[in-house]
Amino acid sequence: MLAEARRSGCPTRSDLLSPRPVTSSFPAAWLKADPRALAFLPDRFRHRSARAEAVAQAATRTISPALLEVLRARNAHLAPSSARERNLELLARPGTVAVVTGQQMGLFLGPLFTLYKAAAAIVTARALQEETGRPCVPVFWLQTEDHDLPEVDHCFVANATGTPCRVALDHADAATSRVPIAHRQLGQGVLAALGTLRGEVGKEPQAEEHLSLLERAYRPEATLAQAFTEVLAAVFAEEGLVFLDPRDERLAPLAAPVHRLALRDAATLSSALARHVDALTQAGFSEQVHIRPGSPLCFYSPDGVDGARYRLDPAGPDTWSLVGHPRGATVTTRELMEWLEREPLRFTTSALLRPLLQDTWLPTAAYIGGPGEVSYFAQLAPLYAHAGLPMPLVIPRARFRVIDDRARRLLHKLGLTPDEAGMEREALLTRLATRDESHTYESAGALEARLFGPFAAVLDTLGESMSRLDPMLLDALKRTRGTVRAAVSRLAARYGRALALRDQVTTERVDRLRAMLVPEGAPQERVHGMAYYACRFGTRAFTRQVLEACVPFSGDLQDLTP
């Protein structure tokens, strides 16, 4: 879903229309209860009365018998789970509500935050049930409609050295594929990926248990979605997590009314959403998903249900162009409506339409989302209002930083806290190099400013007098400024490197620690997959620790110390 925003490659309305610079991260501002953010997405999840209201409202809706039948049939093929069977029975009862989360089908479960999302949905469902007395069931929405294969065909595995190792499938057409993930088989490349994974973590104490689970699910003939679901269902069998795949052909007729709304009211909806985005950017936030003027919020697959999918753009009266189609194909509204009646599985949702489909099908009380999804919901109020459907509670997913024994030893040796380890690398090395010395060295940037700043100030004062004396002197002044600036920058860079490299052992320890906690400068949970931690501590033991550490209705980062 995040990929859909990036794929457009177009300037956003905030680039073109907002006179105010976009300066703030919406999810960060929302978590801090910034009034600007709360105007677009209230933080109802923080308030018990609002949570109770959302649950009561969701409890007035029921799941259709057709959807229940598909859910029972699909979940029956997963790892045996009496808890899942009980949850499916509960969903059939009036008054039961759902706590939903979802994710793309990352290889070997993708980044750690997939596990954290599912755990947060389970813990949140328990908390809401305890608060309200109404049955709450955790549901995982499998985002099988997405087609961005390069986002899901790999994972990163932490190894004994702490360096993330990329493990990937080998699909030659990955960059150009437009086929929904639901229809992509793993292929023979998955055997090589499993071999690489075993080579990286196969010697860990609990490796055989976890690797055997992956090897049973990730077979060449299986799809990415099938393997992903099989593993995640086994991981959360005791909790009874229920799985919903929107690409099931039996569900396509149930999705048709949502796609019909998106096609019929495309112009009205895009205008309303664009106005909402304008207000969002005026408040200082960027849009997460670009609104294409007049375009419906769905994709269409002209060559069949397992064929490439394309966005639709207006191309004339009742005519649509297929964005990115190699032959520049078009389709009429009449043809689209006929196919929607005849073969509705040809239609798939965009990032903005998916929540509406989800909440049309399910009695959703709450959605557990990451930063990107929080930003989606900040744009969605006009769509829900147009459909006459209340928005669910939006609750930030659990956030964790795993600090294992290796990381703890390095933190102790370096005398750092986990937060300090996330500092910018050069600044951290400089601090470590100078903190125990009588003489404190300034940073390379400070030295450069101290050397060049006074010189530049003098040149600025000379400029006017030089131009009166001889205008040609201004060119000489500019050249001198550039020459001196370059020389000072080179000196400062050498000075900075000397500071950073004075203690090679410290440098190596810092790099190993950062690879464990902030790989490539990113949050650990967005890079590392589950495999290393499951192989080291045990699949169930690690999952249980995540579940026990989840704090419902909180987006705070927490440390796990297995």
Side-chain angles (χ1 to χ4, degrees), residues 147 178 263 292 295-296 298-304 307-316 318-333 335-337 339 346-348:
H147 66 268
R178 287 178 171 269
L263 289 167
R292 304 173 73 95
S295 295
C298 57
F299 288 78
Y300 171 63
S301 297
D303 300 321
R309 69 178 197 150
Y310 300 92
R311 285 189 179 276
L312 300 165
D313 263 1
D318 292 323
T319 305
W320 308 87
S321 63
L322 303 182
V323 179
H325 193 281
R327 297 187 302 278
T330 60
V331 63
T332 66
T333 301
E335 289 170 329
L336 289 173
M337 291 301 183
W339 278 115
R346 285 177 179 245
F347 294 81
T348 48

Side-chain angles (χ1 to χ4, degrees), residues 165-223:
C165 171
R166 189 177 191 271
V167 181
L169 301 174
D170 181 19
H171 288 294
D173 65 338
T176 57
S177 175
R178 287 178 171 269
V179 176
I181 296 299
H183 309 294
R184 291 301 306 236
Q185 288 185 316
L186 291 163
Q188 292 298 315
V190 75
L191 300 179
L194 286 165
T196 301
L197 187 64
R198 185 171 281 276
E200 292 293 332
V201 296
K203 294 182 180 179
E204 297 298 336
Q206 307 298 325
E208 197 55 42
E209 171 209 15
H210 189 71
L211 294 179
S212 294
L213 171 62
L214 295 179
E215 288 165 355
R216 288 194 300 271
Y218 283 86
R219 307 174 305 278
E221 68 275 14
T223 65

Side-chain angles (χ1 to χ4, degrees), residues 31-224:
L31 283 173
K32 294 177 181 177
D34 186 326
R36 295 177 305 144
L38 299 186
F40 296 92
L41 185 64
D43 58 348
R44 296 187 297 148
F45 73 93
R46 299 183 195 273
H47 310 290
R48 183 165 183 154
S49 59
R51 297 196 295 265
E53 181 183 354
V55 168
Q57 196 169 50
T60 63
R61 306 196 302 275
T62 57
I63 296 180
S64 74
L67 177 57
L68 279 169
E69 182 180 348
V70 173
L71 284 175
R72 290 192 185 102
R74 291 295 291 247
N75 282 266
H77 294 291
L78 302 176
S81 168
S82 57
R84 191 183 305 117
E85 292 175 5
R86 286 195 300 273
N87 280 337
L88 288 167
E89 291 174 3
L90 286 174
L91 281 174
R93 300 178 187 176
T96 297
V97 303
V99 174
V100 185
T101 193
Q103 186 55 39
Q104 293 169 303
M105 313 288 98
L107 181 65
F108 305 144
L109 298 190
L112 275 167
F113 66 72
T114 299
L115 182 77
Y116 302 161
K117 272 185 170 182
I122 291 164
V123 171
T124 300
R126 291 173 180 169
L128 287 176
Q129 181 166 314
E130 184 177 339
E131 279 188 358
T132 65
R134 292 187 181 274
C136 298
V137 173
V139 177
F140 196 97
W141 183 282
L142 299 161
Q143 293 177 16
T144 52
E145 295 184 318
D146 288 346
H147 66 268
D148 200 327
L149 192 55
E151 286 208 342
V152 297
D153 66 355
H154 65 278
C155 68
F156 289 92
V157 183
N159 55 26
T161 66
T163 304
C165 171
R166 189 177 191 271
V167 181
L169 301 174
D170 181 19
H171 288 294
D173 65 338
T176 57
S177 175
R178 287 178 171 269
V179 176
I181 296 299
H183 309 294
R184 291 301 306 236
Q185 288 185 316
L186 291 163
Q188 292 298 315
V190 75
L191 300 179
L194 286 165
T196 301
L197 187 64
R198 185 171 281 276
E200 292 293 332
V201 296
K203 294 182 180 179
E204 297 298 336
Q206 307 298 325
E208 197 55 42
E209 171 209 15
H210 189 71
L211 294 179
S212 294
L213 171 62
L214 295 179
E215 288 165 355
R216 288 194 300 271
Y218 283 86
R219 307 174 305 278
E221 68 275 14
T223 65
L224 275 162

Side-chain angles (χ1 to χ4, degrees), residues 351-373:
L352 294 183
L353 192 62
R354 179 202 54 74
L356 187 68
L357 178 62
Q358 161 199 294
D359 299 334
T360 300
W361 282 356
L362 297 170
T364 311
Y367 185 83
I368 308 297
E373 291 150 317

Side-chain angles (χ1 to χ4, degrees), residues 13 18 36 40 273-285:
R13 293 181 67 86
S18 177
R36 295 177 305 144
F40 296 92
L273 290 168
R275 288 193 298 271
H276 196 69
V277 165
D278 287 344
L280 192 70
T281 56
Q282 287 289 331
F285 304 109

Side-chain angles (χ1 to χ4, degrees), residues 363-478:
T364 311
Y367 185 83
I368 308 297
E373 291 150 317
V374 167
S375 294
Y376 296 158
F377 275 96
Q379 293 184 217
L380 282 177
L383 178 59
Y384 274 81
H386 186 85
L389 194 65
M391 286 179 64
L393 294 170
V394 178
I395 301 177
R397 65 168 172 80
R399 299 168 56 220
F400 294 111
R401 177 171 51 194
V402 184
I403 307 174
D404 65 7
D405 52 338
R406 300 173 310 150
R408 291 196 293 274
R409 284 196 297 269
L410 286 171
L411 287 168
H412 178 73
K413 289 176 180 177
L414 293 167
L416 294 174
T417 66
D419 288 340
E420 289 171 334
M423 291 173 55
E424 193 274 330
R425 179 179 181 272
E426 183 179 346
L428 178 57
L429 289 170
T430 300
R431 173 192 285 193
L432 290 172
T434 60
R435 67 182 176 185
D436 296 326
E437 298 188 2
S438 56
H439 179 74
T440 302
Y441 291 90
E442 62 188 317
S443 70
L447 175 66
E448 183 173 353
R450 188 159 64 87
L451 289 174
F452 186 71
F455 177 76
V458 172
L459 287 187
D460 289 342
T461 61
L462 290 175
E464 185 175 347
S465 61
M466 282 188 175
S467 65
R468 287 197 300 268
L469 179 63
D470 182 354
M472 298 297 291
L473 288 173
L474 288 179
D475 288 337
L477 186 148
K478 290 178 181 178

